Amino acid sequence: MTARTVGIHDISFATSHHVLDLRELADHAETDVDKFYIGIGQSEMSVLAEDEDIVTLATEAAQRVLERQGSEEIRTLLFATESGVDQSKAAGVYVHGLLGLSPHCRVVELKQACYSATAALQFALGIVSRNPEERVLVIASDVARYELDSSGEATQGAGAVAMVVTANPALVAIEPESGLYTSDIHDFWRPNYRSEALVDGKFSMNAYLESLEGAWHDYESNGGVAVGEIDRFCYHQPFTKMAVKAQEQLQKVAAIEASSAECMQLVGASLEMNRRVGNSYTASLYLGLLSLLNYEADDLAGKRIGFFSYGSGSVSEFFTGVVQSGYRDVLRVKEDAARLSARLPLTYAQYRELHNRVDLVEGTQFTTPHRTHSPFRFSGVEGHVRQYERVLLDHGIRGSAQ
Ligand code: HMG
């Protein structure tokens, strides 16, 4: 019998109905668009329609993996987010209802800024290691919002990634060594009374790089492999240039010289989807993984990927995984590209109106117009209860969940 591995068996993503080309933002701010396209490495950002939120994104992403994998052995659903829709009820319970999962399933929401999807993945690996028959559904779903006309504005975005974690995974086997680094700081945070994050931009970039160094040293001292034994890297990507800076920093810390082109080669394919989605907080690292698997021209089978997960505040982790042979058969490259291209472009004025609308909504009773093309929509609030609908492709309503 072959040794058992645990890891990511399938992965899928979802993003918003709308998209804003950052040229719109640059024109409004009278800024050179290359500051965004080249300086921070972002070309577009996903923007939610009024009837979309973290639940609809998450459900769409999860539906795509479960359509193929089935939901029978799923006894745990872990939902990572920092854009929670309720202080008590886990957003994953709505997903559980909309997808009709078994009642014999534990569902919980996890929070630590952008890091919590990695905590969810590690917890899932623990569950599957204990009982290899179980499959755990891990979902990361977020909406990145900063103030209008702030320097963080170009680093907004929205997206969800769903992963099925199993024994003998078809995509990536996660290795047991990991490095951790936690530090009580205020580089980025969002108090309960705000819909937009507060951020100390330059400090946050330094904090990210210091955490990478701290997590890397802990990884080394816990039996991790050398930088040179890692074939590709996936970083949390608040904007894609941050991943390039991180790779350069890691090379410095490990005292291995690498040109900018060599660093780019190590992270390049992982940037493609994030460049168009923007920051999706918890989902960002795993969208980077999907992007790497979809867009890397070289065969990655048997190659080791290094992952760095960073969540402001801050908690971070460095770990690795090995891509499995046959991984390309599991991917949905054309479908993923079509999902990104299907987003409807917004003008700057339309984007601004949608952004402001979030804070105008009164909490207790309202309905949302039908805008999204997703099979799931947030239809409003009745008596303080969020209403979700499952929609047929012709937009006929098929069912609902509260
Ligand atoms: P800024 O200060 O307006 O930008 O905002 P800048 O002036 O530093 O310019 C950005 C880059 O563009 C620079 O490159 C410029 O040189 C370049 P760099 O020197 O850094 O390599 N540039 C140009 N390049 C080409 N052509 C041009 C041009 N003009 C300028 N014409 C900042 C940047 C990141 C601070 C801002 O967007 C921000 O505050 N973002 C939000 C915070 C953030 O993303 N932090 C990242 C680390 S923290 C993190 O990752 C956690 C997070 O995801 C949250 C969570 O964990 O939940 C945020």
Side-chain angles (χ1 to χ4, degrees), residues 168-368:
N168 301 319
L171 277 180
V172 181
I174 303 295
E175 297 181 294
E177 297 76 18
S178 111
L180 300 166
Y181 191 80
T182 289
S183 168
D184 183 5
I185 55 171
H186 278 85
D187 58 330
F188 164 106
W189 70 108
R190 184 167 69 82
N192 285 344
Y193 49 83
R194 287 182 62 97
S195 68
E196 293 151 336
L198 296 165
V199 64
D200 185 342
K202 301 290 178 202
F203 174 56
S204 74
M205 292 168 68
N206 287 334
Y208 177 119
L209 295 176
E210 276 175 30
S211 293
L212 170 62
E213 194 172 339
W216 172 257
H217 287 318
D218 190 49
Y219 170 74
E220 278 181 313
S221 56
N222 280 292
V225 300
V227 167
E229 292 176 61
I230 302 175
D231 302 290
R232 292 291 184 279
F233 292 81
C234 261
Y235 291 91
H236 166 56
Q237 295 173 39
F239 48 93
T240 65
K241 189 71 172 289
M242 193 71 225
V244 182
K245 286 179 189 291
Q247 188 59 39
E248 289 168 353
Q249 175 77 0
L250 189 61
Q251 300 289 149
K252 252 190 236 154
V253 168
I256 301 177
E257 270 190 43
S259 65
S260 298
E262 284 165 334
C263 287
M264 197 59 188
Q265 163 74 10
L266 291 169
V267 297
S270 76
L271 313 180
E272 296 300 321
M273 295 174 80
N274 292 275
R275 195 193 307 283
R276 299 182 61 192
V277 168
N279 197 350
S280 54
Y281 291 161
T282 51
S284 159
L285 172 63
Y286 298 97
L287 189 61
L289 168 63
L290 180 61
S291 180
L292 173 65
L293 298 174
N294 276 353
Y295 290 103
E296 174 62 62
D298 292 348
D299 184 3
L300 290 173
K303 303 285 184 201
R304 179 176 281 122
I305 303 176
F307 296 89
F308 177 63
S309 179
Y310 177 78
S312 285
S314 67
V315 178
S316 61
E317 181 160 354
F318 191 95
F319 61 102
T320 56
V322 177
V323 181
Q324 303 298 288
S325 61
Y327 73 98
R328 281 190 165 132
D329 299 339
V330 183
L331 302 175
R332 302 167 178 82
V333 183
K334 282 191 185 148
E335 212 183 301
D336 291 344
R339 183 66 184 82
L340 277 176
S341 302
R343 292 170 301 166
L344 295 186
L346 291 171
T347 63
Y348 178 78
Q350 288 168 330
Y351 149 72
R352 203 175 169 98
E353 209 233 308
L354 272 172
H355 188 102
N356 284 332
R357 195 181 286 247
V358 169
D359 294 323
L360 295 176
V361 163
E362 293 295 330
T364 60
Q365 194 82 22
F366 63 90
T367 55
T368 57

